[in-house]
Amino acid sequence: MNTLPYDDYLAALLRGDRAQCKRIVHELLADGMPVRTLYTDVFGASLYREGELWESNRISVATEHLH
């Protein structure tokens, strides 16, 4: 991945692309990312950013509720 894992995961999450989210997670774990880091730096950061986007009306509540 050329970008931060969080960026790729967030982009897939916002598209509702569950298969891509799953691929990213499997790749990160295979590359040795600790599960705790996955939860904090990828899942947590992505969901926090998603909330910010919703709060600033950059995504709809429907998009936010895809996840």
Side-chain angles (χ1 to χ4, degrees), residues 21-31:
C21 288
K22 185 176 178 179
R23 281 190 289 276
I24 291 167
V25 168
H26 284 281
E27 183 178 321
L28 293 171
L29 291 172
D31 288 346

Side-chain angles (χ1 to χ4, degrees), residues 10-66:
L10 177 62
L13 190 69
L14 292 174
R15 287 191 313 271
D17 188 345
R18 292 179 184 182
Q20 180 63 17
C21 288
K22 185 176 178 179
R23 281 190 289 276
I24 291 167
V25 168
H26 284 281
E27 183 178 321
L28 293 171
L29 291 172
D31 288 346
M33 179 178 276
V35 172
R36 182 178 300 253
T37 302
L38 178 67
Y39 272 81
T40 58
D41 294 0
V42 179
F43 298 155
S46 294
L47 293 174
Y48 185 82
R49 179 65 181 143
E50 181 183 43
E52 290 178 330
L53 292 170
W54 171 78
E55 189 173 53
S56 65
N57 292 318
R58 294 181 61 201
I59 63 171
S60 69
V61 71
T63 299
E64 191 263 339
H65 282 188
L66 280 172

